[in-house]
């Protein structure tokens, strides 16, 4: 498990670095996005991953790794938007946005640790394309919950689905970058 945590933290650092750089370039322009739009943005990324996994060719030149990183970052954005609600403008400083990112990432990391204990690191025996399919399934669930105005009878909420999508994406990043040192 210690190896998993170290690998997870390394992947998170990579995602966070990109988030901070884009935040510096663009500000928190994503604050105008309603949670449903964040879900759709993640859907675009996951659909592209599945397309590249199936076709085995990218005509844009970027592979699937940047898309999994984007799912992590949009998942955190989604959690922030669920907490704060959307805004009509970029209303967060870089420092506050990063503080919120770190808060939600820490909670998502803790969830991974608890689930990884219970599931006995089953993710290590999975294929990357299975993570993609699970993320797409969680997106379908999230869209249904959003269409139901966030109301569920027995199921976890939107936040739990975002966290699961983030964690499966981090597992994919780990698998795709193993041996890159």
């Amino acid at each position: 498990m210690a190896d998993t945590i170290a690998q997870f933290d390394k992947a998170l650092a990579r995602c966070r670095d990109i988030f901070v750089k884009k935040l510096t370039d663009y500000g928190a322009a994503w604050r105008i996005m309603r949670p449903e739009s964040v879900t759709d943005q993640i859907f675009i990324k996951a659909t592209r991953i599945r397309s590249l996994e199936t076709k085995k060719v990218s005509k844009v030149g970027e592979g699937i790794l940047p898309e999994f990183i984007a799912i992590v970052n949009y998942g955190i954005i989604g959690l922030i938007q669920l907490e704060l609600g959307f805004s009509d403008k970029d209303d967060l400083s870089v420092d506050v946005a990063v503080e919120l990112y770190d808060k939600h990432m820490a909670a998502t990391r803790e969830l991974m640790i608890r689930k990884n204990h219970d599931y006995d690191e089953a993710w290590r025996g999975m294929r990357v394309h299975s993570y993609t399919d699970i993320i797409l399934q969680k997106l379908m669930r999230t869209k249904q919950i959003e269409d139901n105005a966030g109301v569920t009878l027995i199921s976890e909420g939107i936040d739990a689905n975002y966290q699961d999508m983030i964690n499966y994406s981090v597992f994919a990043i780990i698998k795709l970058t193993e041996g890159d040192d």
Side-chain angles (χ1 to χ4, degrees):
M1 177 80 132
D3 193 39
T4 294
I5 293 171
Q7 289 176 305
F8 201 86
D9 289 345
K10 182 178 176 184
L12 291 181
R14 184 178 198 157
C15 296
R16 186 183 188 277
D17 180 62
I18 290 170
F19 179 84
V20 170
K21 286 177 179 171
K22 287 192 175 198
L23 187 63
T24 303
D25 286 349
Y26 302 133
W30 45 265
R31 286 288 293 132
I32 67 163
M33 295 178 78
R34 292 169 280 190
E36 298 86 355
S37 298
V38 176
T39 300
D40 286 341
Q41 188 64 41
I42 297 169
F43 176 76
I44 290 167
K45 300 299 183 182
T47 300
R48 181 167 187 272
I49 292 168
R50 187 168 170 151
S51 173
L52 293 175
E53 288 171 343
T54 303
K55 294 174 185 170
K56 311 257 189 260
V57 173
S58 169
K59 293 196 175 188
V60 176
E62 292 180 349
I64 63 175
L65 180 61
E67 302 295 1
F68 279 115
I69 292 169
I71 291 172
V72 170
N73 288 338
Y74 275 113
I76 296 296
I77 287 169
L79 292 168
I80 293 169
Q81 295 298 77
L82 288 173
E83 177 185 352
L84 300 181
F86 65 93
S87 177
D88 291 331
K89 62 183 188 277
D90 172 353
D91 61 351
L92 295 179
S93 69
V94 170
D95 290 340
V96 170
V98 171
E99 183 180 307
L100 288 164
Y101 182 96
D102 290 344
K103 170 186 155 185
H104 286 286
M105 186 52 76
T108 302
R109 179 184 179 274
E110 286 305 312
L111 176 66
M112 179 282 297
I113 291 169
R114 290 190 313 271
K115 284 189 171 185
N116 201 38
H117 171 271
D118 289 358
Y119 287 94
D120 205 21
E121 300 217 324
W123 69 272
R124 290 197 179 272
M126 296 172 64
R127 298 172 184 97
V128 172
H129 72 260
S130 293
Y131 306 144
T132 306
D133 292 348
I134 291 169
I135 291 167
L136 284 164
Q137 175 198 37
K138 293 198 173 283
L139 283 160
M140 296 299 119
R141 291 176 176 183
T142 301
K143 287 181 172 205
Q144 184 62 52
I145 295 168
E146 289 169 345
D147 290 346
N148 293 339
V151 177
T152 61
L153 299 176
I154 193 169
S155 305
E156 296 176 313
I158 295 167
D159 57 341
N161 281 286
Y162 279 154
Q163 287 181 308
D164 286 346
M165 288 183 253
I166 292 165
N167 284 332
Y168 278 111
S169 294
V170 174
F171 292 154
I173 293 165
I174 291 169
K175 284 220 172 181
L176 292 169
T177 60
E178 279 182 319
D180 286 2
D181 286 321

